[in-house]
Amino acid sequence: MAARGAEAEALFEAHTAAELRAVERRLRAGIEQKREELRQMVGERYRDLIEAADTIAEMRLSAERLLGAVRGLQRGGAARPSPAAPVRGARGCGGAGGGPEPPSDPLFPPLQARPPAQESFYRAAAQLKLLLDVPEKVWDAVEAGRYLPAARLHLLGGHLRRQLQLDVPRASPVLARFPILLRQVAAASHLRSTILQESKSLLKSQTVSDQAVAEALCAVMLLEDSSPRQALADFLLARKLAIQQLLNQPHHGAGIKAQVCSLMELLTTTLYQAHALFYTMPEGMPPDPALPCGLLFSTLESTTGQHPAGRGGVLEDEVKLSSWFRYLPESVVEFQPALRTLAHPISQDYLRDTLQKWIAMCSDDIRAGVSNLLVYVKSMKGLAGIRDAVWELLTNESISQNWEAVCHRLLDKPVSFWEDLLQQLFLDRLETLTKEGFDSISSSSKQLLTLALQELEVKSGTSALSKHIQFEQNVALFLWSESSSDLPSDAAWVNVANRGQFTKSGLSMKAQALTPCVQSFCSTLDSKLKARLDDLLFYLPTDSSAAKEATPMAQPRSAFDCYADAGTVEGLLRDHCVACVHHVLGCVREELQSAQSLLGGQADAPSDARLNAVLFMARLCQSLTELCPHLKQCILGQSGSTEMALKETRSAKKLGKGKAQEVTPVQAKWQGVKAELLQQSLFAYQIWSSAVTKGLVQCFTHTLLLDTAGSVLATATNWDEIEIQEETESGNSVTSKIRLPVQPSWYVQCLLFSLCQEVNRVSGHTLPKVTLQELLRSCMAEVLAAYEKLMEEKQEKKAGTFPMTQNRALQLLYDLRYLSIILTAKSEETKTSRMKHDSGIEKVTDFLEGHIDPFDLDVFTPHLNSNLNRLVQRTSVLFGLLTGTENQYTSRSSALSSQELHNILPLASSQIRFGLLPLSMSSSRKSKSATRSTERVQVPPPALRRAEDEALRPGSLFRQLVTEEEDTATPSLFKLGWLSGMTK
């Protein structure tokens, strides 16, 4: 009340009088509405209430009448006279039986009070009482899972119905007086079907004991009156249905492992229980306590066998429960179920054939079902987990202890469900996963390649280009740029030998001209390959050598070898990885062919955008094997990658020593992949070299063929004035001056310098030697074609053309000879005929010399050769990318005077471009001694030349300074560990 008062006060405080009246109206309207609803509900439910009250009154009257009838029966039973002496005193529980006296029952007086005339009445009453109690006891046994006692009680009920003639309703006087028994007769068939259904359902379970399965089979045999062979068929059919049910369960991720393990457990348990139930030892063979057998026949014998008199049959446990039991006839008390035919043991041949057929029949279902389950396993780690779980299950001592003996007894051969059923399914799924994974890598690599090429085909003049694209367009800019990743962060204290195998510094990337775009592509591809490889490693042994050593020791206790298919798995990985590389190469090949057709169809100079894309693909194919180390592991396998790397380094050091090492098929496949990548890289470089040569020589040819006086003067360069001593006919010496060219024409210098710029722009020190030779060869061929065209035009002698003067012929001859020296490598001269003896050059040379006075030509030739030799020496470093290391120096000739030494570059055995580097004394002395030996020898022998070629390769200076071990007493800055890491 206090709370309500507080609420009312709060209302008066918060609202006005008008608002309070509105609240009052709403409350009164709600009260009236609830009253009306209550009236309607009472009116609707009143009739139901009256009917319920009438029913309760009728139930009370019926109960009173029933109680009165029961009291009348009790009074009538007490007034009956006592019966005579007992008929079955020997079996009675209260007489000579010696047992305790059962409680008295007014409906069933003691046998001493029963007259002989009424014995059949009490016997029928006891049988009726038992018949009414049988269904309840059957249901209790079924609910408790005791199907054999339930079947025996059901058969006892059938025996009682036959005793009381209840099977023929019209001829039975009992049914006329007890109509309720009709329901018992109708429910008998339902009881039988329930017991059979529950018993066969129990056969599907793999967790029940052998005794429970034996009792369930005995129940089925008794109810269906079947033979042991039919029981075997029922057992195997139930297990087949259990397999199908297990395979059709809903699967969710980790549940697949449990399903496969349950399937294997069901198969092994089925064979074990088939042995325990149906197998019988041959005659003369002692039973094996560790492997019991024949349980079905022993259980059937104990169920259908005859017991001694007085012990009872099916109702043995019910003897002391009721007083009316003593009135049951002997046929009911001693009832035992029996089969129509004898249960003969199953022969071993029939058992073996039946089990083999069952295994073959279930194998198809298992393969199809497990295949459908494995579709939901998306990783090889999941497959390995399922395989290991199956291995642990089958290797468990409870299963593997007697497995071989059971298989030998039942099937006369060993059985391995993993090898026969699951192994190939797992391999098929693994192959599918591997194929899907590498198909995904192939498609993503193609998309990545297309995206990179689209970015590279942007014109260089476009603004807002990213730094990576600029580096790709000009590799020299990338080489000489600084970044924080040039040296590893731990370069000062971690030795190169202790650094990770896949760790690459920025300087090493720049030394190999591996641009950021190439690094990004290879890094993305390598990370995906690593993910696939790491996933596959779960399916392979961690250490092959340890696995091989441990396998023989673990074989007797192991159900199967988990890693028996390791070679097959590595083969699948290898094949799909090679197919992935071929797919990427196919995409590169298509792009290169498209670029080749576009570049070949252009009449003017090729576009830089297309060439940038071609060069990117060339560098990509060239560096793919080095920047993708996991590609090598995928092809060579887990164990072969590190061993192969060691063999390659050792074979490189011992090249030419001993016999050639044998190459395994796996190594041959890896070498084939590297060869294909290199071939594709060379093809791309060939497209680039052809396009560059075409563009540069086109401008050269145009300038060369300009046939005007102005063009000749515009391209003229410096000529040198030389004094010569000539002897007249009278014997006097006359001094005269001659003028000879000492520099090539401007367009020749522009051609060579532009060619060097193009080579330097793509990082010429990393170009393959074959590409550089092809570039020089094609360039020389185009230049020679231009001179031949000039020769043809001059031979036609068209009107109005500028005549070929002696001075111009001298300049053209000087240019041609200089170009033939610069654009011809010495290594090529040793393999083929010298380029100066080439028919084309000879033809042009003869034409040009024909425009020079023969007497003057004899005088000019020695000085022309001297100027040419001096020019080559002066420009050897400027055009070093074209001439190569072998043409960058020429041994000093004794013909040169001391006054001319200042015009020639100082020569050394190795071209050191960085003169201020802190070199050690040992390398300086070695350089000086090498220089002196070079001065003494005009042409080095071929063996020495090969050594020099190796020593004079780009980067040889750093390798020399790092690997030099002589004169250790002299300190060298390059021997410090942190600085030597620059070259790694």
Side-chain angles (χ1 to χ4, degrees):
M1 295 296 293
R4 293 179 181 179
E7 291 178 1
E9 291 178 0
L11 285 174
F12 277 101
E13 291 175 356
H15 300 282
T16 62
E19 292 175 348
L20 290 175
R21 290 190 183 94
V23 171
E24 180 186 9
R25 285 194 297 271
R26 286 199 302 270
L27 290 175
R28 292 186 182 280
I31 292 171
E32 291 298 329
Q33 183 179 358
K34 294 297 182 183
R35 286 178 179 175
E36 183 64 26
E37 292 178 357
L38 182 60
R39 292 190 193 98
Q40 293 178 1
M41 182 181 66
V42 171
E44 291 174 356
R45 299 295 181 181
Y46 183 73
R47 184 178 301 172
D48 297 337
L49 180 62
I50 297 300
E51 292 179 356
D54 294 341
T55 305
I56 293 172
E58 291 178 359
M59 289 174 61
R60 186 183 64 182
L61 294 176
S62 298
E64 290 177 355
R65 287 196 298 268
L66 181 61
L67 289 175
V70 171
R71 293 191 188 97
L73 286 175
Q74 290 177 349
R75 288 193 298 270
R80 287 179 178 276
S82 300
V87 177
R88 293 182 290 123
R91 190 179 57 86
C93 296
E101 193 73 21
S104 62
D105 191 342
L107 292 179
F108 295 93
L111 291 176
Q112 291 82 0
R114 177 168 55 92
Q118 296 179 355
E119 179 181 357
S120 59
F121 174 78
Y122 289 106
R123 185 182 299 114
Q127 293 181 50
L128 289 175
K129 172 65 175 174
L130 179 59
L131 182 61
L132 293 174
D133 291 344
V134 162
E136 181 180 356
K137 295 181 182 299
V138 170
W139 285 117
D140 291 341
V142 170
E143 291 176 356
R146 299 166 53 244
Y147 302 116
L148 182 57
R152 296 175 66 189
L153 286 172
H154 175 71
L155 294 176
L156 175 62
H159 177 70
L160 289 173
R161 289 192 298 273
R162 288 190 296 272
Q163 288 286 102
L164 297 174
Q165 299 179 357
L166 299 180
D167 295 335
V168 185
R170 296 180 180 180
S172 176
V174 179
L175 288 178
R177 297 187 179 184
F178 299 96
I180 194 173
L181 294 178
L182 288 173
R183 296 185 179 180
Q184 299 295 328
V185 176
S189 60
H190 179 62
L191 283 175
R192 180 178 181 276
S193 62
T194 302
I195 297 172
L196 286 175
Q197 181 179 356
E198 295 295 330
S199 299
K200 293 182 179 180
S201 176
L202 182 136
L203 297 179
K204 299 178 183 179
S205 177
Q206 60 187 4
T207 58
V208 296
S209 62
D210 298 345
Q211 182 63 39
V213 176
E215 291 182 359
L217 285 175
C218 287
V220 174
M221 292 178 65
L222 292 175
L223 293 178
E224 293 184 346
D225 199 14
S226 58
S227 62
R229 291 191 175 187
Q230 183 61 38
L232 174 62
D234 293 339
F235 173 72
L236 295 180
L237 179 60
R239 291 304 168 92
K240 184 177 184 298
L241 295 176
I243 290 173
Q244 294 177 349
Q245 182 179 0
L246 188 61
L247 292 174
N248 294 328
Q249 285 182 356
H251 29 265
H252 305 284
I256 297 177
K257 180 193 297 185
Q259 284 181 264
V260 176
C261 291
S262 299
L263 182 63
M264 291 294 101
E265 185 179 5
L266 179 60
L267 290 174
T268 54
T269 304
T270 300
L271 288 186
Y272 269 113
Q273 290 184 346
H275 173 271
L277 296 173
F278 301 100
Y279 182 80
T280 55
M281 296 294 293
E283 296 183 1
M285 292 287 292
D288 186 1
L291 279 177
C293 58
L295 185 59
L296 175 67
F297 301 101
S298 60
T299 305
L300 196 61
E301 183 179 358
S302 64
T303 302
T304 59
Q306 297 297 324
H307 294 268
R311 292 189 58 189
V314 176
L315 299 176
E316 184 177 358
D317 297 334
E318 306 290 335
V319 174
K320 301 177 182 179
L321 296 180
S322 303
S323 60
W324 50 265
F325 177 76
R326 68 188 65 185
Y327 300 106
L328 292 175
E330 187 77 18
S331 61
V332 175
V333 175
E334 300 295 337
F335 173 77
Q336 287 286 2
L339 295 173
R340 294 181 181 178
T341 58
L342 295 177
H344 296 288
I346 300 176
S347 64
Q348 295 184 5
D349 294 339
Y350 181 82
L351 182 62
R352 179 182 64 252
D353 296 341
T354 304
L355 288 176
Q356 287 179 352
K357 292 178 181 179
W358 178 80
I359 293 175
M361 183 172 52
C362 293
S363 296
D364 298 335
D365 295 339
I366 292 173
R367 291 190 181 97
V370 174
S371 298
N372 295 332
L373 290 178
L374 293 182
V375 170
Y376 297 93
V377 181
K378 300 298 183 180
S379 66
M380 301 178 194
K381 181 180 179 181
L383 285 178
I386 298 175
R387 179 202 60 189
D388 295 341
V390 172
W391 182 85
E392 291 178 1
L393 172 69
L394 298 181
T395 312
N396 189 15
E397 187 176 359
S398 61
I399 293 179
S400 63
Q401 185 176 8
N402 300 314
W403 178 251
E404 294 182 0
V406 168
C407 293
H408 179 71
R409 288 185 179 182
L410 293 179
L411 303 171
D412 290 338
K413 64 178 182 179
V415 176
S416 176
F417 288 126
W418 167 259
E419 296 174 357
D420 297 340
L421 298 177
L422 299 183
Q423 185 177 16
Q424 189 59 42
L425 300 179
F426 275 64
L427 285 178
D428 294 342
R429 180 57 183 164
L430 190 141
E431 182 179 6
T432 303
L433 288 176
T434 305
K435 184 178 183 302
E436 291 176 354
F438 279 101
D439 288 347
S440 174
I441 294 176
S442 301
S443 60
S444 62
S445 300
K446 182 178 180 180
Q447 295 176 359
L448 191 63
L449 178 65
T450 304
L451 182 62
L453 295 180
Q454 289 176 356
E455 293 179 354
L456 290 174
E457 289 181 0
V458 178
K459 295 184 179 180
S460 58
T462 307
S463 59
L465 283 178
S466 66
K467 185 176 292 186
H468 289 177
I469 302 301
Q470 295 177 10
F471 288 162
E472 200 67 38
Q473 293 176 353
N474 188 359
V475 182
L477 182 64
F478 166 66
L479 293 181
W480 297 106
S481 63
E482 293 185 1
S483 64
S484 59
S485 61
D486 285 346
L487 286 177
S489 58
D490 56 355
W493 54 84
V494 177
N495 193 10
V496 178
N498 298 330
R499 206 165 289 156
Q501 180 184 1
F502 304 138
T503 304
K504 300 289 185 181
S505 64
L507 282 181
S508 64
M509 296 292 103
K510 290 180 179 179
Q512 301 174 71
L514 301 179
T515 56
C517 291
V518 175
Q519 295 180 37
S520 175
F521 184 94
C522 293
S523 176
T524 304
L525 177 60
D526 189 61
S527 62
K528 294 178 180 179
L529 291 175
K530 181 179 183 298
R532 301 307 310 167
L533 186 61
D534 291 344
D535 189 22
L536 188 68
L537 288 181
F538 286 102
Y539 207 85
L540 297 175
T542 54
D543 188 0
S544 58
S545 59
K548 291 179 181 177
E549 293 176 359
T551 300
M553 298 177 61
Q555 188 172 1
R557 297 183 180 180
S558 178
F560 57 89
D561 186 6
C562 291
Y563 306 114
D565 49 5
T568 305
V569 173
E570 290 186 352
L572 291 175
L573 175 66
R574 184 181 307 111
D575 295 341
H576 288 290
C577 184
V578 171
C580 176
V581 174
H582 286 165
H583 183 270
V584 175
L585 281 177
C587 299
V588 172
R589 189 179 299 111
E590 290 178 2
E591 295 290 343
L592 289 177
Q593 291 175 354
S594 174
Q596 185 182 27
S597 60
L598 290 176
L599 293 174
Q602 293 180 358
D604 52 352
S607 61
D608 292 338
R610 273 289 175 182
L611 288 182
N612 292 333
V614 171
L615 289 170
F616 167 75
M617 289 184 281
R619 283 189 289 267
L620 178 64
C621 296
Q622 188 179 13
S623 60
L624 201 61
T625 55
E626 183 176 355
L627 293 186
C628 296
H630 292 94
L631 174 64
K632 184 177 183 180
Q633 287 191 11
C634 288
I635 296 178
L636 291 180
Q638 180 185 6
S639 60
S641 57
T642 56
E643 296 177 2
M644 186 61 186
L646 294 176
K647 288 181 180 179
E648 286 182 353
T649 54
R650 292 172 183 171
S651 61
K653 292 180 180 179
K654 299 180 180 180
L655 187 62
K657 296 182 180 180
K659 298 181 179 179
Q661 295 183 354
E662 295 183 359
V663 180
T664 62
V666 176
Q667 296 172 358
K669 182 165 287 190
W670 169 244
Q671 296 296 336
V673 170
K674 291 200 299 184
E676 291 179 7
L677 289 170
L678 180 60
Q679 181 182 3
Q680 207 64 31
S681 175
L682 292 177
F683 176 59
Y685 277 125
Q686 181 183 0
I687 296 175
W688 166 79
S689 63
S690 301
V692 168
T693 303
K694 177 182 177 181
L696 295 179
V697 178
Q698 185 177 3
C699 181
F700 170 83
T701 305
H702 175 71
T703 309
L704 177 65
L705 296 179
L706 286 177
D707 204 10
T708 61
S711 63
V712 174
L713 291 176
T715 58
T717 54
N718 185 28
W719 283 46
D720 192 12
E721 187 177 279
I722 303 174
E723 292 184 358
I724 60 173
Q725 299 288 335
E726 294 180 327
E727 187 176 351
T728 61
E729 296 179 356
S730 60
N732 298 327
S733 62
V734 179
T735 302
S736 61
K737 294 182 179 181
I738 60 174
R739 292 182 179 275
L740 293 176
V742 293
Q743 287 183 342
S745 301
W746 287 120
Y747 55 85
V748 174
Q749 297 185 45
C750 290
L751 170 66
L752 295 177
F753 188 72
S754 299
L755 199 58
C756 283
Q757 280 187 318
E758 290 296 327
V759 174
N760 184 66
R761 189 175 66 87
V762 300
S763 182
H765 68 280
T766 61
L767 282 179
K769 191 174 182 180
V770 177
T771 300
L772 192 56
Q773 290 178 354
E774 179 64 26
L775 176 65
L776 298 178
R777 188 184 301 110
S778 60
C779 187
M780 188 61 204
E782 295 288 339
V783 167
L784 187 59
Y787 277 99
E788 290 176 349
K789 189 173 183 181
L790 175 65
M791 182 181 67
E792 291 175 358
E793 290 183 357
K794 294 301 178 183
Q795 287 176 351
E796 293 178 359
K797 297 181 180 180
K798 295 181 179 179
T801 59
F802 189 78
M804 178 66 70
T805 62
Q806 177 171 323
N807 288 341
R808 190 184 181 196
L810 274 174
Q811 184 67 53
L812 291 175
L813 180 62
Y814 187 80
D815 294 344
L816 179 60
R817 292 185 60 186
Y818 177 67
L819 285 172
S820 66
I821 294 175
I822 295 296
L823 298 179
T824 304
K826 287 186 177 180
S827 58
E828 187 178 356
E829 291 177 359
T830 58
K831 298 177 182 178
T832 60
S833 61
R834 297 178 62 88
M835 291 298 294
K836 67 178 181 179
H837 298 300
D838 185 83
S839 60
I841 296 180
E842 288 181 357
K843 185 178 179 181
V844 176
T845 303
D846 294 341
F847 170 76
L848 294 176
E849 290 179 351
H851 291 79
I852 304 173
D853 184 81
F855 174 77
D856 293 342
L857 183 61
D858 292 339
V859 176
F860 294 162
T861 299
H863 301 283
L864 199 64
N865 291 338
S866 177
N867 290 347
L868 190 63
N869 191 19
R870 191 181 300 112
L871 177 65
V872 171
Q873 293 169 359
R874 287 172 177 170
T875 59
S876 61
V877 175
L878 180 63
F879 301 140
L881 287 175
L882 300 181
T883 60
T885 57
E886 62 273 8
N887 277 356
Q888 287 181 7
Y889 68 92
T890 304
S891 301
R892 297 179 184 179
S893 173
S894 59
L896 299 177
S897 62
S898 59
Q899 288 81 5
E900 296 174 336
L901 291 179
H902 67 279
N903 290 329
I904 304 174
L905 288 176
L907 305 178
S909 60
S910 61
Q911 282 63 51
I912 302 176
R913 299 187 182 183
F914 308 98
L916 299 180
L917 288 176
L919 304 180
S920 63
M921 295 301 294
S922 60
S923 62
S924 300
R925 287 198 295 269
K926 182 180 290 187
S927 176
K928 291 178 181 178
S929 62
T931 304
R932 287 194 295 268
S933 64
T934 307
E935 292 176 358
R936 291 194 298 267
V937 182
Q938 177 70 21
V939 179
L944 180 60
R945 183 177 301 166
R946 286 196 299 271
E948 289 178 353
D949 291 345
E950 181 65 25
L952 299 178
R953 288 175 57 193
S956 62
L957 171 63
F958 290 99
R959 289 192 293 272
Q960 172 190 351
L961 295 174
V962 172
T963 59
E964 184 178 16
E965 297 179 357
E966 300 179 1
D967 198 6
T968 56
T970 305
S972 174
L973 184 60
F974 276 86
K975 291 185 179 181
L976 296 178
W978 65 271
L979 192 53
S980 65
M982 293 170 59
T983 61
K984 301 297 180 182

